[in-house]
Amino acid sequence: MAQRALPGLGLRGFYDAGYEGWGTPLSEDLRVLSVLTAGSALSRTTVLPAAGATGDIYIVPSDAAANADQIAVWDGESGSEAWVYLVPVAGLVVWIADEQASVRWEGASWNLTGSSAGMEDAPNDGGIYGRSDASWVELPGTGAAKYFARMSKSSATTVPASTSTIISWDNKVLDNGGFYDVGAPTRLTIPAGVTEVVVSALLRSESAIGSGTSDFVIEILKNGSTLVLGNIDNQFWGPPPISTGVIPVVAGDYFEVRTWCNASFPLDEGKCYFSVHGIGTATVITSATILQNTTAPDEYIVTGPGGNGFATIEAARDRMVTDGENAGFYSPAKIKLLTRSLSIGSTIVLPQHCSIMAENTRIRFTGASGSVFDLSGYNQIKGLEFCGGNAANTDAVFNCGDNTDMSILECHLYGNDSDNFMKFMKAAGGAFARINAERCLINHRGLSGYAFSLNNTGTATRFCDCWFENIFSDTYSALTGYGGNFESVNCKDVRLKRSTIRGNYAKYTGLRLSGASCSWHLSHCNFDAAPGGAQPGFDIYAVAGARLDYGAVSAKKTGFEAGSTIVALSTDLIALDVV
């Protein structure tokens, strides 16, 4: 016998000594290993195209006339490619790209890994379910959680002066339970089965009403009587959101929003809302087979491929936007990562009022260009670690663009030897402001450019109100172009506190201040350059017109051009070399 089949996948091996026919079988078996160990396919429902692209892998649809449920790969010598079909073995798990989910071959069919023997996923209606044999059973006391509604306005409304006005709502963002009736547009009415609710509301003026003249009242009414009231004097746009807290209800109870102001004002349709959430009875849950709904109010859970939550940050973000949860300043939404690692292939755009919270989730970005996150403003990112990537990418992890109010907390960038040359953060434009980073560790391996870059491209130097605290930033590559840790162009009022800034090569600058009237305030910082070569680097360098205020700062080498200003706020170890 020239060869024999191996257990498991049926690969061939143990060829007889001197057997010359091993080449083709070995190549075919390597192809099987390459496809099955990759563990991914583009789709299991798409009809195979007549011709694929190199490396395309599909699962043939179950209703196909031929090769149903087999794995198809487009392969062959150049010019002679064809579909090659592989028979799956029981227990094989494959990630399906167009479903963002994993499936398992169970001998007769492909089933989602959260399912068994063709069992469907648990209902995605907000309830909590346990598996009983081959069906899902809603757990006692959890059903009320699936009742919720959220209304907003799409048409212009002007509130008359000194007149109690009940607000009508015409845009049904969410209504799971039948709270809203177009015939009674001012009301949210409690349906049968709901025993406790939380009711919330926000009204905002489209324009400033006027300081010193306005008295703005907002009320939530239950069955026509005031239940909770918010009142604020001399407020430009209106009071903050109000909420009832948890209150008992019966079917048929209805809620409304009423307002009064001594000045007429137009409502800002994009910011006003009226919402109700049903609350159920607490239940102790012990079953290990529970699959919970992927969303909770204002929070979207990412567990990665194969988990019970969203597979990707993008999927969670898209659902959040569809739900309208990131509606405004008083209604932010949060994406929570409950996975140890994620691979991201292209830039993720985070909309306004959307935050990402994690605890040391490791991110690998494989895109050859672009940032990892494009922030749109009013974003907070916490607990991410960036390690590894595409060596061709020299962009920044966080692109703040020309936006405001962004905070990056406890996020780290690791150099990872030879495959991560990304910067950490950048902002550019004529309007960005209030950018903050704290408790971050950065190993910057870029061959040029700065780990942090603030570039005001406006026509005049302006106050940017940015601050950085407890930063450890180390530029330790052999720079081929000028670069380092912090670069600031035409930015005023930027603060760096309690940080260590390091570098190791010529052409290095720890902090570079450029532009007329650019100003920074440093306190309790250690700059630790290791100058070398014919042109040693600088810890701090300021061009003419820039200003530096410092206290308790240690630096080995600094350069200040004529016309720059340095102001010592206390006795320091700083060494000054004026160019």
Side-chain angles (χ1 to χ4, degrees):
M1 181 176 64
Q3 63 189 26
R4 64 181 174 88
L6 305 180
L9 298 177
L11 305 181
R12 291 153 291 187
F14 295 98
Y15 297 98
D16 289 345
Y19 178 63
E20 297 181 355
W22 56 268
T24 298
L26 178 61
S27 296
E28 292 173 347
D29 288 348
L30 289 174
R31 178 168 58 197
V32 171
L33 285 175
S34 178
V35 172
L36 299 188
T37 56
S40 65
L42 297 173
S43 178
R44 60 175 175 147
T45 56
T46 301
V47 176
L48 289 185
T54 300
D56 278 357
I57 301 174
Y58 290 86
I59 292 178
V60 180
S62 58
D63 58 355
N67 305 303
D69 290 322
Q70 294 186 12
I71 298 172
V73 56
W74 183 258
D75 191 38
E77 296 292 334
S78 179
S80 301
E81 297 91 341
W83 289 111
V84 178
Y85 300 95
L86 307 178
V87 178
V89 295
L92 178 67
V93 175
V94 177
W95 170 254
I96 307 299
D98 66 354
E99 297 180 38
Q100 292 290 287
S102 295
V103 295
R104 179 176 54 246
W105 177 246
E106 297 184 352
S109 63
W110 292 96
N111 300 311
L112 292 171
T113 54
S115 308
S116 178
M119 181 175 169
E120 295 182 351
D121 283 349
N124 186 15
D125 60 6
I128 300 179
Y129 293 81
R131 194 165 66 200
S132 176
D133 297 327
S135 63
W136 292 104
V137 177
E138 189 167 10
L139 300 183
T142 66
K146 65 186 178 184
Y147 294 106
F148 50 85
R150 184 186 182 95
M151 303 300 300
S152 65
K153 294 186 65 62
S154 60
S155 60
T157 299
T158 298
V159 176
S162 304
T163 303
S164 291
T165 303
I166 294 179
I167 304 301
S168 291
W169 306 90
D170 58 359
N171 184 33
K172 184 167 61 176
V173 180
L174 296 168
D175 187 5
N176 197 358
F179 291 86
Y180 180 74
D181 182 354
V182 69
T186 65
R187 299 181 179 184
L188 289 177
T189 303
I190 303 302
V194 179
T195 58
E196 294 175 304
V197 296
V198 174
V199 183
S200 305
L202 172 67
L203 295 182
R204 301 288 284 176
S205 173
E206 192 174 67
S207 57
I209 300 172
S211 178
T213 63
S214 60
D215 187 6
F216 198 138
V217 178
I218 176 175
E219 303 169 89
I220 293 177
L221 309 180
K222 179 184 179 184
N223 300 331
S225 299
T226 299
L227 188 63
V228 62
L229 179 146
N231 182 22
I232 192 163
D233 295 326
N234 304 330
Q235 172 67 18
F236 282 108
W237 292 280
I242 59 174
S243 174
T244 62
V246 179
I247 57 173
V249 292
V250 297
D253 285 343
Y254 66 91
F255 294 88
E256 296 173 295
V257 179
R258 183 168 65 190
T259 187
W260 183 95
C261 185
N262 61 357
S264 176
F265 67 93
L267 287 175
D268 187 337
E269 302 93 57
K271 293 185 172 62
C272 300
Y273 68 82
F274 182 24
S275 68
V276 58
H277 289 273
I279 305 296
T281 304
T283 300
V284 177
I285 301 172
T286 59
S287 172
T289 59
I290 290 172
L291 177 65
Q292 188 169 4
N293 178 12
T294 55
T295 66
D298 304 326
E299 186 173 283
Y300 295 78
I301 307 299
V302 175
T303 55
N308 290 339
F310 291 100
T312 65
I313 296 174
E314 299 95 317
R317 174 205 60 194
D318 293 345
R319 175 62 180 272
M320 175 197 67
V321 172
T322 299
D323 291 348
E325 286 294 342
N326 63 320
F329 188 81
Y330 292 105
S331 180
K334 178 170 63 177
I335 296 173
K336 189 172 183 179
L337 306 187
L338 298 181
T339 178
R340 290 182 297 175
S341 62
L342 282 174
S343 181
I344 300 175
S346 59
T347 300
I348 297 175
V349 178
L350 286 186
Q352 288 189 347
H353 310 292
C354 171
S355 297
I356 295 179
M357 299 288 116
E359 291 185 6
N360 306 111
T361 295
R362 183 93 21 117
I363 303 292
R364 181 178 178 86
F365 185 62
T366 58
S369 62
S371 59
V372 183
F373 294 103
D374 278 355
L375 308 184
S376 302
Y378 303 98
N379 305 115
Q380 185 180 96
I381 314 295
K382 182 179 180 181
L384 300 182
E385 299 178 352
F386 300 87
C387 183
N390 191 316
N393 194 339
T394 59
D395 211 315
V397 171
F398 298 106
N399 175 21
C400 299
D402 196 21
N403 303 303
T404 64
D405 300 279
M406 291 157 286
S407 186
I408 301 168
L409 307 175
E410 299 175 9
C411 292
H412 311 306
L413 172 65
Y414 302 131
N416 207 49
D417 296 325
S418 61
D419 62 351
N420 194 346
F421 293 89
M422 298 191 75
K423 315 299 189 292
F424 187 70
M425 191 214 76
K426 68 177 182 180
F432 70 84
R434 299 181 297 280
I435 298 174
N436 161 239
E438 295 183 37
R439 301 184 299 280
C440 299
L441 185 154
I442 295 93
N443 289 323
H444 176 217
R445 294 201 72 254
L447 301 180
S448 63
Y450 293 82
F452 294 79
S453 178
L454 302 176
N455 184 11
N456 171 31
T457 60
T459 57
T461 302
R462 60 183 178 83
F463 291 95
C464 296
D465 301 317
C466 300
W467 69 102
F468 307 93
E469 188 167 354
N470 289 317
I471 304 295
F472 180 92
S473 187
D474 187 0
T475 299
Y476 63 94
S477 288
L479 295 171
T480 57
Y482 290 102
N485 292 302
F486 284 86
E487 175 189 38
S488 176
V489 181
N490 289 326
C491 296
K492 296 183 70 173
D493 197 14
V494 182
R495 299 172 184 270
L496 178 63
K497 299 180 179 180
R498 299 180 182 88
S499 298
T500 297
I501 310 301
R502 299 179 59 191
N504 196 34
Y505 291 90
K507 298 188 178 182
Y508 162 78
T509 305
L511 169 61
R512 179 178 177 84
L513 308 182
S514 301
S517 301
C518 178
S519 68
W520 275 53
H521 184 149
L522 307 182
S523 65
H524 298 88
C525 292
N526 175 41
F527 287 76
D528 186 18
Q535 295 179 326
F538 286 92
D539 280 318
I540 304 170
Y541 192 92
V543 304
R547 174 184 172 122
L548 178 69
D549 297 79
Y550 67 91
V553 174
S554 172
K556 294 180 180 179
K557 183 74 173 179
T558 60
F560 295 86
E561 293 184 0
S564 60
T565 303
I566 50 175
V567 179
L569 304 179
S570 63
T571 303
D572 299 273
L573 301 176
I574 193 165
L576 303 181
D577 271 4
V578 179
V579 177

